Amino acid sequence: MSRKVITISREFGSGGHEIAWELAEDLKYDFYDKDIIAMVAEESGYAREFVENMGESGAPAFGTIIPDGFSGTYFSPEIVSPQDQLYLVQSRVIIDLAEKGPCVIVGRLADHILKDRFDCLNVFIYSDLEHRIARIMGIEKIDAKKAEKIIHKNDRGRASHRKHYAGQDWHSVSNYHVSLNSGVLGIGPCVEALKQLV
Amino acid sequence: MSRKVITISREFGSGGHEIAWELAEDLKYDFYDKDIIAMVAEESGYAREFVENMGESGAPAFGTIIPDGFSGTYFSPEIVSPQDQLYLVQSRVIIDLAEKGPCVIVGRLADHILKDRFDCLNVFIYSDLEHRIARIMGIEKIDAKKAEKIIHKNDRGRASHRKHYAGQDWHSVSNYHVSLNSGVLGIGPCVEALKQLV
């Protein structure tokens, strides 16, 4: 079976975005990353910054429980935190995108949101801290200390986001079909291995 | 860099052994699985059954602490539990095997024991319970209930073994360079993807 939807979850600084983009290019699949932010902002009315910051990081301080599998409509804003409301809109956007045709979707718990589809390949890209720091220093032109701080902040946010909305440990193999250490393996070989598995 | 030593950790019933064997065949690498049991039994004086049962399952009830990286010589048997003694002999056997030439080593915490080598590819093969039960039923000619019982027993044993000797969560992506769900991906595609990554 050929996988129609590839979801790429990734650690910040692991090169997961680059791997996802190259994979989409090579397979001629649609590619969704930051575009999702604009779509969710438009549909929800929330500011882009809020969507960008909250769409895959953190969880509401007082957690409302979203019923498992719920994603089709809205709760009343009065009873749902902004983060949860955002999650629901984002879920609907991602479900619609996956319906449109073969695609690669980066982040935003797409693997969990699309868990009822049988044509997904769910990928996790991670790397050791050293490689991630070097990568972020190069991209953001910042020093190692600042890079490490940003990485840790992102790690905490993404871990708690997954815990809250999917009930999963971010680093557990069980969430994904494939997990690759891009620092040890290299970006190119990761792309080739994933093409083999699609 | 071509990877000289491939370690395959695996869930019971995931087909990890088969993937490891096919990979070794295709790459013309030496293949070590049950052979390690005989070597460790001979070197340690312990019965094969004890080595087979304890070599990658469980941990001593009263844990002695083995210094990190210690594997070259023996502690006095008086102060070390049989399991720990076994672990030390097994570590030495695995280090020696890795020195001999390109190889695939199945299980027995080889990834952790060889963590100071830079030419290892550390792989984890796992699968969903359903696929594993079906596989074990077919191989062992037993019913689903019994298969599930054996699987859970093995899971518990391997998880506590890794926790005790490597201080790691068995299912954490961070332990490995590649993790593959063989039930979803299939045995053949896993072998091909790993060849790509070696």
Side-chain angles (χ1 to χ4, degrees):
Chain A
M1 180 181 66
S2 167
R3 306 276 163 185
K4 296 284 189 309
V5 179
I6 303 166
T7 71
I8 310 258
S9 306
R10 75 287 179 231
E11 284 186 345
F12 187 72
S14 68
H17 173 94
E18 190 178 333
I19 290 169
W21 190 84
E22 286 189 22
L23 191 63
E25 278 283 299
D26 287 359
L27 296 172
K28 312 220 179 304
Y29 276 29
D30 286 329
F31 176 71
Y32 301 115
D33 186 3
K34 299 275 176 197
D35 336 37
I36 295 175
I37 295 169
M39 294 177 209
V40 172
E42 191 179 346
E43 194 158 327
S44 66
Y46 287 126
R48 279 184 70 118
E49 289 70 27
F50 180 77
V51 178
E52 183 153 16
N53 290 335
M54 288 296 157
E56 56 180 352
S57 262
F62 302 98
T64 43
I65 309 291
I66 297 177
D68 193 45
F70 181 89
S71 55
T73 64
Y74 298 88
F75 282 119
S76 156
E78 285 81 14
I79 60 159
V80 175
S81 68
Q83 286 97 331
D84 286 354
Q85 187 75 19
L86 181 64
Y87 178 74
L88 296 172
V89 178
Q90 196 162 272
S91 297
R92 210 172 52 171
V93 166
I94 286 172
I95 288 168
D96 288 350
L97 288 176
E99 281 298 318
K100 283 171 84 177
C103 60
V104 177
I105 304 174
V106 180
R108 295 170 187 267
L109 294 186
D111 56 305
H112 177 67
I113 290 162
L114 300 173
K115 66 182 183 303
D116 294 332
R117 290 186 70 112
F118 290 101
D119 56 354
C120 289
L121 180 71
N122 299 326
V123 179
F124 185 61
I125 305 292
Y126 60 102
S127 183
D128 39 299
L129 188 59
E130 213 171 287
H131 278 102
R132 292 160 71 198
I133 289 175
R135 194 178 164 85
I136 294 301
M137 285 171 71
I139 293 172
E140 306 281 346
K141 311 291 174 218
I142 52 178
D143 65 26
K145 210 169 165 179
K146 199 158 179 196
E148 187 172 350
K149 209 173 151 186
I150 298 174
I151 287 169
H152 285 313
K153 190 180 164 217
N154 265 278
D155 283 357
R156 278 195 305 275
R158 290 184 189 175
S160 74
H161 189 71
R162 183 169 286 271
K163 193 59 161 183
H164 180 74
Y165 290 108
Q168 295 170 339
D169 289 327
W170 189 38
H171 274 173
S172 172
V173 295
S174 328
N175 312 333
Y176 317 103
H177 302 143
V178 192
S179 301
L180 300 174
N181 181 327
S182 58
V184 169
L185 302 170
I187 301 283
C190 286
V191 174
E192 292 307 313
L194 290 173
K195 276 160 65 181
Q196 195 86 44
L197 292 169
V198 173
Chain B
M1 178 182 67
S2 166
R3 306 276 162 182
K4 296 284 190 310
V5 179
I6 303 165
T7 70
I8 311 259
S9 307
R10 75 288 179 228
E11 284 186 346
F12 187 73
S14 68
H17 173 95
E18 190 179 333
I19 289 169
W21 190 83
E22 285 189 24
L23 191 63
E25 278 284 300
D26 287 358
L27 296 172
K28 312 218 178 308
Y29 276 28
D30 285 329
F31 176 71
Y32 302 115
D33 187 2
K34 299 275 175 197
D35 336 37
I36 296 175
I37 295 168
M39 294 177 210
V40 173
E42 190 178 348
E43 194 159 325
S44 66
Y46 287 125
R48 280 184 69 119
E49 289 70 26
F50 179 78
V51 177
E52 184 153 16
N53 290 334
M54 289 295 156
E56 57 179 351
S57 263
F62 302 99
T64 43
I65 309 291
I66 298 177
D68 194 44
F70 180 89
S71 55
T73 63
Y74 298 87
F75 282 119
S76 156
E78 284 82 16
I79 59 159
V80 175
S81 68
Q83 286 96 331
D84 287 353
Q85 186 76 17
L86 181 63
Y87 178 74
L88 295 172
V89 178
Q90 197 162 272
S91 297
R92 208 171 54 172
V93 165
I94 286 171
I95 288 168
D96 288 350
L97 289 176
E99 280 298 318
K100 282 171 85 176
C103 60
V104 177
I105 303 175
V106 179
R108 295 169 187 269
L109 293 186
D111 56 306
H112 176 66
I113 289 162
L114 300 174
K115 67 182 180 302
D116 295 331
R117 290 186 71 113
F118 290 100
D119 57 354
C120 290
L121 180 71
N122 298 327
V123 179
F124 185 61
I125 305 292
Y126 60 102
S127 183
D128 39 298
L129 188 60
E130 213 171 289
H131 278 103
R132 293 160 70 198
I133 289 175
R135 192 178 165 87
I136 294 300
M137 284 171 72
I139 293 173
E140 306 280 344
K141 310 291 175 218
I142 52 177
D143 64 26
K145 209 168 167 180
K146 200 160 178 193
E148 187 173 349
K149 208 172 152 187
I150 298 175
I151 287 168
H152 284 312
K153 190 180 163 214
N154 264 278
D155 283 356
R156 279 195 305 274
R158 290 184 190 173
S160 74
H161 189 70
R162 182 169 287 270
K163 194 58 160 182
H164 180 75
Y165 290 108
Q168 295 170 338
D169 288 328
W170 188 38
H171 275 173
S172 172
V173 295
S174 327
N175 312 332
Y176 317 103
H177 302 143
V178 192
S179 301
L180 300 173
N181 181 327
S182 58
V184 169
L185 303 169
I187 300 285
C190 286
V191 174
E192 292 307 314
L194 290 173
K195 276 159 66 179
Q196 195 86 45
L197 291 169
V198 171

